């Protein structure tokens, strides 16, 4: 399916099969070649339209097909979004992601979405959106409004995909990614592990991502959160945390220039597992919020972990050299009043 062949399935599986410590060592070496070892990029995620999604992704509480008790919310007004973005900025976040549970955005919503992008961008935050599938015109309009990143995950391997989603195809997803790329927007795309897939599928997902014409700048790796009411809620599949860490490490090696993001499922991970994920090359996470509708670790425990590990926050927006501003942002993140964080869950 991929248009270029930087990595083969066999090579990817060989990485997965390496002794754990050898794999971690290699991933850490690759990581240090391209990134500062102790820096993590921090994003805040806001659900701007919640629930009632027409798609049937079996892990997702926002699908209208499952009864998860989630209360649907219409598309937020501009001022609500601006206020959440302001709080994220004050709290030290550098990127503001706005997510809507849609199959695709309606044309009638485009002007408001463009205003959101412009408003958040004007605050000095990087902008990211996840709105489902985009057509060419929508991608171009969002790019013109100043959208920096678009998130659209491949979820899993092409072979396993139909076990998880039937209402949109793998090709649909690749098509949206290519429209986003053509419009000049950076790509955020990854997947979920723990869905019942095997190592062949985890390798297959990473092969697809790494072999995109240009690999995604940001690669979120999610651990399944079993949400009551979704078809996967009672699944007996259990993914050993070491397998999750391996997935991070292989992603780091196969996409050396990408930010690998520790995403959903962090709530269930202990500090040691998270530390090994950073060791394996994860260098991006969501902070101080809930991941759309599933819990994310409390800000205080994040702050404590950052301190224990000596992790600093990467500041793209101040990277032009204002060291004082960087220090101020780090301090804001580590000491700020946590009540300022926006809780993205309804
Ligand atoms: S993952 Fe996205 S597209 Fe799928 S059901 Fe949830 S909100 Fe809809």
């Amino acid at each position: 399916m991929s248009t270029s062949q930087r990595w083969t399935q066999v090579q990817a599986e060989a990485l997965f099969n390496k002794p754990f410590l050898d794999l971690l060592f290699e991933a850490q070496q690759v990581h240090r070649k391209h990134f500062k070892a102790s820096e993590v990029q921090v994003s805040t995620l806001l659900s701007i339209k919640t629930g009632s999604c027409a798609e049937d992704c079996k892990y997702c509480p926002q699908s209208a097909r499952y009864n998860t008790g989630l209360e649907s919310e219409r598309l937020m007004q501009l001022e609500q979004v601006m206020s959440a973005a302001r709080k994220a900025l004050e709290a030290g976040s550098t990127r503001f992601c706005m997510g809507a549970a849609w199959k695709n955005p309606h044309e009638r919503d485009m002007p408001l979405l463009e205003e959101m992008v412009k408003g958040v961008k004007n605050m000095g935050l990087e902008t990211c959106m996840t709105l489902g599938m985009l057509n060419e015109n929508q991608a171009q309009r969002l790019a013109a409004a100043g959208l920096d990143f678009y998130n659209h995950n491949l979820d899993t391997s092409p072979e396993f995909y139909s076990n998880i989603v039937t209402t949109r195809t793998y090709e649909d997803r690749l098509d949206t990614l290519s429209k986003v790329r053509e419009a000049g927007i950076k790509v955020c795309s990854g997947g979920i592990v723990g869905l019942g897939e095997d190592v062949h599928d985890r390798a297959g997902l990473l092969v697809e991502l790494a072999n995109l014409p240009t690999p995604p700048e940001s690669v979120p790796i999610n651990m399944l959160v079993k949400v009551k009411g979704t078809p996967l809620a009672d699944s007996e599949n259990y993914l050993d945390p070491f397998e999750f860490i391996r997935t991070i490490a292989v992603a780091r090696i196969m996409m050396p220039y990408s930010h690998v993001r520790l995403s959903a499922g962090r709530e269930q991970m202990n500090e040691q597992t998270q530390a090994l994920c950073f060791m394996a090359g994860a260098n991006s996470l969501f902070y101080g919020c809930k991941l759309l509708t599933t819990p994310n670790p409390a800000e205080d425990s994040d702050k404590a972990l950052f301190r224990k590990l000596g992790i600093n926050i990467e500041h793209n927006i101040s990277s032009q050299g204002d060291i004082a501003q960087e220090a101020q942002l780090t301090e804001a993140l580590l000491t700020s009043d946590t009540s300022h964080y926006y809780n993205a869950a309804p």
Side-chain angles (χ1 to χ4, degrees):
M1 264 186 189
S2 301
T3 51
S4 50
Q5 262 297 335
R6 271 173 227 108
W7 288 90
T8 65
Q9 181 74 21
V10 171
Q11 288 172 318
E13 287 186 27
L15 287 173
F16 270 97
N17 289 330
K18 276 193 159 203
F20 183 74
L21 296 179
D22 288 351
L23 176 63
L24 228 60
F25 182 61
E26 186 176 334
Q28 180 64 198
Q29 282 178 313
V30 171
H31 186 58
R32 282 172 186 259
K33 226 189 243 176
H34 302 287
F35 292 98
K36 289 187 186 159
S38 294
E39 271 195 1
V40 169
Q41 186 274 327
V42 174
S43 300
T44 298
L45 175 59
L46 172 70
S47 180
I48 58 172
K49 184 265 169 188
T50 303
S52 302
C53 181
E55 303 289 82
D56 70 348
C57 312
K58 290 196 172 51
Y59 51 82
C60 183
Q62 305 216 59
S63 169
R65 295 160 195 249
Y66 315 134
N67 187 4
T68 59
L70 182 72
E71 237 173 79
S72 298
E73 288 182 6
R74 300 165 82 89
L75 183 60
M76 278 184 178
Q77 293 305 303
L78 184 62
E79 197 32 57
Q80 283 175 283
V81 175
M82 292 306 106
S83 152
R86 234 169 271 124
K87 287 172 185 169
L89 181 66
E90 282 165 18
S93 214
T94 59
R95 188 177 308 161
F96 193 66
C97 306
M98 294 161 268
W102 279 324
K103 186 179 190 69
N104 49 261
H106 293 290
E107 287 308 307
R108 63 169 181 266
D109 294 320
M110 286 303 296
L112 179 51
L113 294 169
E114 289 169 294
E115 285 310 306
M116 289 176 186
V117 173
K118 284 180 194 159
V120 173
K121 183 98 176 160
N122 283 341
M123 285 181 196
L125 282 159
E126 287 184 313
T127 52
C128 175
M129 278 186 159
T130 179
L131 313 169
M133 293 187 283
L134 293 184
N135 63 35
E136 196 180 324
N137 179 261
Q138 291 170 328
Q140 300 282 351
R141 286 175 67 172
L142 291 171
L147 188 65
D148 296 302
F149 287 83
Y150 193 79
N151 164 264
H152 199 60
N153 291 333
L154 291 182
D155 281 3
T156 186
S157 70
E159 295 79 19
F160 192 71
Y161 181 80
S162 61
N163 293 296
I164 302 301
V165 186
T166 66
T167 48
R168 69 166 66 134
T169 67
Y170 214 79
E171 282 301 334
D172 288 335
R173 293 191 184 237
L174 290 170
D175 187 52
T176 290
L177 291 183
S178 108
K179 292 194 164 74
V180 165
R181 187 60 87 190
E182 279 161 22
I185 301 169
K186 294 187 194 108
V187 169
C188 170
S189 185
I192 308 178
V193 298
L195 298 167
E197 81 289 339
D198 60 20
V199 67
H200 173 86
D201 299 305
R202 289 189 280 282
L205 165 69
L206 297 181
V207 167
E208 285 293 322
L209 293 166
N211 286 345
L212 286 171
T214 303
E217 280 79 5
S218 176
V219 180
I221 303 291
N222 299 278
M223 175 81 120
L224 174 69
V225 178
K226 295 180 183 174
V227 181
K228 202 162 170 257
T230 61
L232 290 175
D234 302 318
S235 134
E236 285 175 7
N237 297 314
Y238 165 77
L239 190 81
D240 189 304
F242 284 111
E243 206 44 40
F244 181 82
I245 298 161
R246 276 183 190 278
T247 310
I248 298 267
V250 177
R252 163 53 61 229
I253 293 167
M254 289 173 65
M255 290 169 276
Y257 300 99
S258 307
H259 277 80
V260 176
R261 173 172 295 158
L262 204 45
S263 296
R266 209 153 61 83
E267 170 94 343
Q268 282 90 1
M269 290 172 206
N270 63 26
E271 289 189 334
Q272 292 78 4
T273 299
Q274 292 187 56
L276 281 173
C277 288
F278 293 129
M279 189 74 190
N283 62 343
S284 172
L285 48 76
F286 284 109
Y287 183 86
C289 61
K290 292 192 177 179
L291 290 183
L292 295 177
T293 60
T294 57
N296 204 29
E299 298 83 2
D300 283 345
S301 60
D302 273 345
K303 283 191 266 181
L305 182 60
F306 287 179
R307 283 198 196 284
K308 279 186 207 178
L309 301 180
I311 284 179
N312 298 308
I313 312 306
E314 182 189 298
H315 299 300
N316 292 338
I317 51 173
S318 61
S319 61
Q320 262 70 47
D322 188 340
I323 292 164
Q325 189 192 359
E326 282 197 24
Q328 207 180 343
L329 276 170
T330 302
E331 196 48 32
L333 184 67
L334 294 176
T335 59
S336 59
D337 172 2
T338 56
S339 65
H340 278 183
Y341 287 113
Y342 178 77
N343 177 350

